[in-house]
Amino acid sequence: MSELIKFKDVTKTYEVGEKKFKALDKCSFTINKGEFVVILGPSGAGKSTLLNLLGGMDTVTSGKITVNDSIISEYNNKELTRYRAENVGFIFQFYNILPSLTVYENVELVKDIVKKPKNAKTVLKEVGLGEHLNKFPNQLSGGEQQRVAIARAIAKDPDIILADEPTGALDSKTGVEILKLLKKQCDSNNGNNTVIIVTHNTLIADIADRVIRLKNGKVESSTVNRKPKSIDEVKW
C-alpha cells in the first residue's frame, strides 16, 4: 500500500480566555491508502481535533499534514473548501442529514458538490435503502438514518471517509451492521477509499488494519494489525 496521509509534529493549540490548551501535541503518524483505521482514545484525548484537522475543518498551530503528496496544512480557505468537497466524506454520530429532504434528495445533493458523484439510487441500494428513497428522515430508524449518511459520503467517491463515533448513538446490533457497511466500502473499492473511524470503543480496534491510540493530545502508538478479525468474530 502507498502512503496516503502523513502527520508530522502536528500541534493544535486553543486559547480559552488567557489560557492556552494543547488539544494535540506534536502528533506524528502515517496512514496508507485503502486502510481501515481506528483512532482510539478517551474523551479529551484529541480525537475530534485530529479528525477536524484531517477533514480540513480546522487548521494546525504548527506541524504538517500531507494528503496525497499535497500539504493540506498550508492550504488557504478556498483550497480547504475544495479539499473537503472533493476528497473527504464525513459521517457523524448524529447523522447530520437534512430533515426536510427525502432519503434520495439527501444523497442526490452531492451532485452540487462534486463533479463526478456516484449514482444516488445505486448507492442507496448498496446500503440497503433501495425501498426507502422517498421517505423522510423522521420515518426512518436511527440505523437507517446512519445508512443515509454513509450513502451520502460514498456518493462523493472520496479518497477518505471520516467517521466520528458512527455507532455511538446506535444499539450494538445496528452498530455492527454500520461497521460492516464501512468495512465493505474499504475492502471492495479497489483500495480507493480509506476509512478512518474515531471512537472510544476498543472492540472496533480488533477489525482495523491500523490502530492509532491518543492520550492527552499525544500519539501513544500507531500499530498495524497483521491479522484483523472479521466483524462477526468480535463479541460485541
Side-chain angles (χ1 to χ4, degrees), residues 18 23 36 53 88 101 103 115-116 134 151 187 206 215:
E18 296 181 354
F36 188 84
L53 293 174
V88 185
L101 299 182
V103 167
K115 296 176 181 177
K116 295 182 179 180
N134 296 317
D187 293 342
D206 291 340
K215 186 176 181 179

Side-chain angles (χ1 to χ4, degrees), residues 8 19 30 36-37 44 46 57 60 62 73 75 82 84 102 113 130 132 134 141 150 158 178 198 234:
K8 178 64 174 177
K19 295 183 178 180
T30 61
F36 188 84
V37 181
M57 295 181 286
V60 304
S62 63
S73 52
Y75 281 0
R82 186 171 66 248
R84 288 193 299 268
T102 65
I113 301 172
H132 301 286
N134 296 317
S141 67
I150 291 173
I178 294 303
V198 166
V234 179

